[in-house]
Amino acid sequence: MKKKLNLKQVAEQLRVSTATVSNAFNRPDQLSAKLRDRILKESAELGYFGASLAARSLRRGESGVIGVMLADSLSYSFSDPVANQLMQGIAEVLVEQKKQLLLLSNGVSSAEQSGAETLPDGFILYGALQGNAFEHILRTGKPVVAVDFEFSETASVNIDNEQGAYAIASHALSKDDSSQVAILGLRLIDSARVCRLVSEDLVSQSKEISRSRLAGYLRAAKDKGTNISADKIWHIPINSPERAEIAAREALTSNPLPNVLLCMSDVIALAALRVAHELNIAVPEQLQVTGFDDIPEASRSTPALTTVCQQSLEKGRIAARMLLEGNMNEKRILETRLVVRQSCK
Amino acid sequence: MKKKLNLKQVAEQLRVSTATVSNAFNRPDQLSAKLRDRILKESAELGYFGASLAARSLRRGESGVIGVMLADSLSYSFSDPVANQLMQGIAEVLVEQKKQLLLLSNGVSSAEQSGAETLPDGFILYGALQGNAFEHILRTGKPVVAVDFEFSETASVNIDNEQGAYAIASHALSKDDSSQVAILGLRLIDSARVCRLVSEDLVSQSKEISRSRLAGYLRAAKDKGTNISADKIWHIPINSPERAEIAAREALTSNPLPNVLLCMSDVIALAALRVAHELNIAVPEQLQVTGFDDIPEASRSTPALTTVCQQSLEKGRIAARMLLEGNMNEKRILETRLVVRQSCK
DNA sequence: TTGAAAGCGTTACCAC
DNA sequence: GTGGTAACGCTTTCAA
């Protein structure tokens, strides 16, 4: 195999100037079709297929690469169905627009100077980033779309979590005034362990997703005249089936037994269904279970999950389109939709 | 916000030379700790956090970016549990080694000259790529690790699909000589529709994954004295729950009813479990179901899935390590493991 | 320990 | 329609 050639060497070989070769690749109108065809064909024969991204991007000031940074670790994110659906939507649009996708790892240490945030032409940020990665990205001055969090200076795509939670809780509580309600909550407090809340934990003005959902649940309960005390609310530190099962087992072996279980994610709700099955608790007859997200698995479980559709896929598409179309002032709030299936009629 | 500065301007502001600033970031030993600290601190204040990737990569000839190209479309891959587990393993190692991850879309058209394949220092290729993307990547002369396919000139990580399939089929067929066996196969022929095979379809020397698995099933059947005719083998064009359900429904409403169902992926097997449940066919009493892959969901279904663990996560880790450590001659074959759960005792 | 300068591969302006 | 050439931002050698 011959040594890799660069544009200059190709130009020499073909006995034209570098500008002409460059034009052949980038600006068809700048030369005769005939010459262009010759150049394209012969460079391919020489093993030259186009400019190096580094050089072109240095010169042009843009790379054709879009950076996506996820609040959770990259590795974990690949196991999260919601993140995957979002990525799927993003990827769909980027591929269609011939953009490349750089996955930035949101490391804690600022020391990891790879400078990767300098390459992309724009960013999609999923979830509120901790650390100074966020700041670094803002400093680049490049367009940013925030997904599932809000930042004054950037465009964003969000859903109304409070409203979605209110809707599903209202549905779950509608038939029975004397409900025993338990809540399996995600990331409600700052603890790495599954545990119940205490009453002080309820006072929080946080705008985090999980706090909004909790607020929605509690508002619905209040409207129905139901009370939910702090010890009926579980905190789950991470959206994993294993942790969720632990919490579900605690909740479903507590006394009095809840007959409505509001779960802050479908992963948690699915875990609850498994635990209920294992404990011979009939769903929905003895226990109503609700989820949140509407991940693909939600419609396939037995019983199928009643949940709130937050359109993660569409969210990804929209975020990507906003970024590419440059709507950098838009603050988009997507509709949520109550999806009633068997787990909570 | 101030205009973005470059290294040269930072050097001017700090009244040192560009080389000194560069050294402060890249070669701590080339200057006094004191000066270095001052430079780092003051550049951060000026909003300079390190070199632009394009420029550094142009100059140094390496970027710190690893490219991953998937045989299936990027968007689809995010919905595939096996691909996601692989990516999880890859991401784990790359983050740990402070490498960035560029996801290359395997577009069909060679026209999409984004030149993205010129940036990465190395590639992980998952599945046999169609089109000339593969050739382009090889031409770069950069290290490549092939996953789940074999190419003479590159390192690779594979499993022995024939053997894994043989093992699970032997297990499934061990108790009953008069088994009615059906196979739900993935990508066995070149058709976009779910359909049964005909006998001509059985002759194939292809080394594709699905063909190896089929060979393993058939060898096991032969060893047990069971015959499996072509019309008991279904072709499913894509590993999606929807398609799999169609095939499963066909198979489980055919006459004579199969009592052993060998599925070439867990996604397919899980679909089969759902269909069996819907048709009131008891698993494993009336119907034994086996999967392949051991995705996380396999252990969570009811009944839990008997399957072949192919260690997708570890596969990703190993591929990434091989690439980073530069073992470019290694051809690694990972062990598969039979995982017996309730769906096929 | 520091500074000047060459050059990485490309593009785009401006002449011809 | 075509060809010089400066500039993109940085690293690294070499000399001071």
Side-chain angles (χ1 to χ4, degrees):
Chain A
M1 180 158 51
K2 295 153 201 154
K3 189 85 186 92
K4 190 91 196 306
L5 299 176
N6 61 27
L7 183 146
K8 195 171 163 189
Q9 296 166 311
V10 169
E12 261 170 35
Q13 294 263 338
L14 302 194
R15 310 197 155 271
V16 292
S17 81
T18 60
T20 305
V21 178
S22 175
N23 284 334
F25 279 93
N26 304 312
R27 312 166 129 207
D29 53 310
Q30 297 296 301
L31 37 54
S32 66
K34 195 177 141 196
L35 178 58
R36 175 164 190 260
D37 286 348
R38 188 196 127 210
I39 291 179
L40 256 34
K41 182 161 158 288
E42 299 191 1
S43 3
E45 280 162 10
L46 291 171
Y48 184 84
F49 298 100
S52 105
L53 185 55
R56 123 170 314 150
S57 149
L58 180 56
R59 178 61 237 235
R60 293 230 280 216
E62 62 175 65
S63 60
V65 172
I66 298 299
V68 174
M69 187 172 274
L70 304 132
D72 295 303
S73 87
L74 204 47
S75 179
Y76 165 76
S77 297
F78 278 111
S79 76
D80 183 58
V82 180
N84 281 326
Q85 277 200 283
L86 182 85
M87 291 304 301
Q88 205 181 328
I90 293 174
E92 200 180 295
V93 174
L94 294 190
V95 166
E96 185 185 300
Q97 306 278 348
K98 307 220 156 80
K99 297 295 181 188
Q100 303 297 324
L101 175 46
L102 186 67
L103 240 31
L104 283 317
S105 66
N106 175 21
V108 185
S109 127
S110 82
E112 47 187 353
Q113 281 295 355
S114 82
E117 71 277 6
T118 61
L119 186 69
D121 299 332
F123 298 88
I124 297 175
L125 271 29
Y126 178 51
L129 311 178
Q130 69 272 52
N132 40 22
F134 185 43
E135 198 191 338
H136 275 38
I137 288 181
L138 286 180
R139 291 266 192 152
T140 64
K142 293 173 186 166
V144 171
V145 176
V147 176
D148 275 5
F149 76 106
E150 177 43 290
F151 183 72
S152 59
E153 297 172 29
T154 72
S156 64
V157 186
N158 277 283
I159 59 166
D160 188 334
N161 284 286
E162 202 270 353
Q163 184 183 293
Y166 178 83
I168 197 164
S170 300
H171 170 82
L173 299 175
S174 61
K175 309 121 239 176
D176 187 359
D177 291 318
S178 63
S179 303
Q180 285 293 334
V181 184
I183 294 175
L184 297 186
L186 184 59
R187 297 181 189 164
L188 286 171
I189 57 174
D190 189 18
S191 161
R193 301 181 157 275
V194 168
C195 61
R196 303 185 190 210
L197 298 199
V198 294
S199 48
E200 299 90 79
D201 294 328
L202 293 182
V203 292
S204 161
Q205 295 306 314
S206 163
K207 302 287 284 177
E208 284 167 49
I209 290 176
S210 45
R211 282 294 175 168
S212 306
R213 293 185 189 171
L214 182 58
Y217 291 156
L218 296 179
R219 180 161 65 91
K222 197 174 157 203
D223 286 0
K224 300 283 179 187
T226 309
N227 182 50
I228 304 178
S229 64
D231 68 333
K232 287 294 175 187
I233 304 178
W234 273 261
H235 156 75
I236 303 174
I238 179 176
N239 193 30
S240 83
E242 295 76 22
R243 297 305 189 89
E245 284 194 16
I246 295 173
R249 196 162 287 119
E250 265 187 51
L252 295 182
T253 51
S254 68
N255 202 330
L257 200 61
N259 55 17
V260 174
L261 195 52
L262 305 174
C263 305
M264 283 199 191
S265 80
D266 284 353
V267 166
I268 296 174
L270 291 168
L273 291 184
R274 288 192 299 278
V275 171
H277 180 80
E278 175 192 315
L279 297 175
N280 278 311
I281 300 174
V283 177
E285 296 77 5
Q286 294 171 266
L287 175 69
Q288 315 243 11
V289 176
T290 69
F292 206 110
D293 292 339
D294 199 26
I295 62 176
E297 232 181 304
S299 63
R300 299 198 296 259
S301 67
T302 316
L305 206 55
T306 292
T307 191
V308 177
C309 175
Q310 67 157 313
Q311 308 191 72
S312 305
L313 199 101
E314 186 62 16
K315 216 194 261 176
R317 288 191 195 113
I318 288 175
R321 283 198 208 106
M322 273 172 64
L323 185 62
L324 296 181
E325 289 165 10
N327 304 350
M328 289 303 110
N329 298 313
E330 201 174 346
K331 303 280 184 186
R332 186 89 171 257
I333 307 283
L334 265 50
E335 290 294 310
T336 57
R337 211 176 65 247
L338 177 62
V339 180
V340 178
R341 300 200 186 93
Q342 285 72 53
S343 75
C344 176
K345 291 282 190 184
Chain B
M1 181 160 42
K2 295 152 201 155
K3 187 88 187 88
K4 189 90 197 304
L5 298 177
N6 62 24
L7 183 146
K8 194 172 164 189
Q9 297 167 311
V10 169
E12 260 171 35
Q13 294 263 336
L14 302 194
R15 310 197 154 270
V16 292
S17 81
T18 61
T20 304
V21 178
S22 174
N23 284 333
F25 279 94
N26 304 312
R27 315 164 123 208
D29 53 312
Q30 297 295 303
L31 39 52
S32 68
K34 193 177 142 196
L35 178 58
R36 174 163 190 262
D37 286 349
R38 186 197 128 210
I39 291 179
L40 257 35
K41 183 162 158 288
E42 300 192 0
S43 4
E45 281 163 10
L46 291 171
Y48 183 83
F49 299 102
S52 105
L53 185 56
R56 122 168 318 143
S57 148
L58 182 56
R59 178 62 233 235
R60 293 231 280 216
E62 61 175 68
S63 60
V65 172
I66 298 300
V68 173
M69 186 173 273
L70 304 132
D72 295 304
S73 87
L74 202 47
S75 179
Y76 165 75
S77 298
F78 278 110
S79 75
D80 182 58
V82 180
N84 280 326
Q85 277 200 284
L86 182 87
M87 291 303 303
Q88 205 181 330
I90 293 174
E92 199 181 296
V93 173
L94 294 190
V95 167
E96 186 185 300
Q97 305 279 347
K98 309 221 155 83
K99 298 295 182 188
Q100 303 298 323
L101 176 45
L102 186 66
L103 242 30
L104 283 316
S105 65
N106 176 19
V108 186
S109 127
S110 82
E112 48 188 352
Q113 281 295 356
S114 82
E117 71 275 5
T118 61
L119 185 70
D121 298 332
F123 298 88
I124 296 175
L125 271 29
Y126 178 51
L129 313 178
Q130 67 271 52
N132 41 22
F134 184 43
E135 198 191 336
H136 274 37
I137 288 181
L138 287 179
R139 293 264 192 152
T140 64
K142 292 173 186 167
V144 170
V145 175
V147 176
D148 275 6
F149 75 107
E150 178 41 291
F151 182 73
S152 59
E153 298 173 27
T154 71
S156 64
V157 186
N158 278 283
I159 59 165
D160 188 335
N161 283 286
E162 201 273 351
Q163 183 184 292
Y166 179 82
I168 198 163
S170 301
H171 171 81
L173 299 175
S174 63
K175 306 122 241 175
D176 187 358
D177 291 319
S178 62
S179 303
Q180 287 293 332
V181 184
I183 295 176
L184 296 186
L186 185 59
R187 294 182 190 165
L188 286 172
I189 57 173
D190 189 20
S191 160
R193 300 182 158 273
V194 168
C195 60
R196 304 185 189 210
L197 298 199
V198 294
S199 47
E200 300 90 79
D201 294 328
L202 294 181
V203 292
S204 160
Q205 294 307 313
S206 162
K207 303 286 283 174
E208 282 167 50
I209 290 177
S210 44
R211 283 294 175 166
S212 306
R213 292 186 189 171
L214 181 59
Y217 290 157
L218 296 179
R219 179 161 67 90
K222 198 174 157 204
D223 285 1
K224 299 284 179 187
T226 309
N227 182 48
I228 305 178
S229 63
D231 69 334
K232 287 293 174 189
I233 304 177
W234 272 261
H235 156 77
I236 303 174
I238 180 177
N239 193 31
S240 83
E242 294 75 21
R243 296 304 188 89
E245 284 195 15
I246 294 173
R249 197 161 287 118
E250 264 187 53
L252 295 181
T253 52
S254 68
N255 204 330
L257 201 61
N259 56 17
V260 174
L261 197 51
L262 305 174
C263 305
M264 283 200 191
S265 81
D266 284 354
V267 167
I268 296 174
L270 291 168
L273 291 183
R274 287 192 299 277
V275 171
H277 181 79
E278 175 191 315
L279 297 175
N280 278 312
I281 300 174
V283 178
E285 295 78 5
Q286 295 171 263
L287 174 70
Q288 315 244 10
V289 176
T290 70
F292 205 112
D293 294 337
D294 200 25
I295 61 175
E297 232 182 306
S299 65
R300 299 198 296 259
S301 66
T302 316
L305 206 54
T306 292
T307 191
V308 177
C309 175
Q310 66 156 315
Q311 306 191 74
S312 305
L313 200 101
E314 186 62 15
K315 215 193 263 176
R317 289 192 193 110
I318 288 176
R321 283 199 207 104
M322 274 171 63
L323 186 62
L324 296 180
E325 289 165 8
N327 302 350
M328 288 303 109
N329 298 312
E330 201 173 346
K331 303 279 184 186
R332 186 89 171 256
I333 306 282
L334 265 49
E335 291 292 310
T336 57
R337 213 176 63 247
L338 177 61
V339 181
V340 178
R341 300 201 185 93
Q342 284 72 52
S343 74
C344 175
K345 289 282 191 186

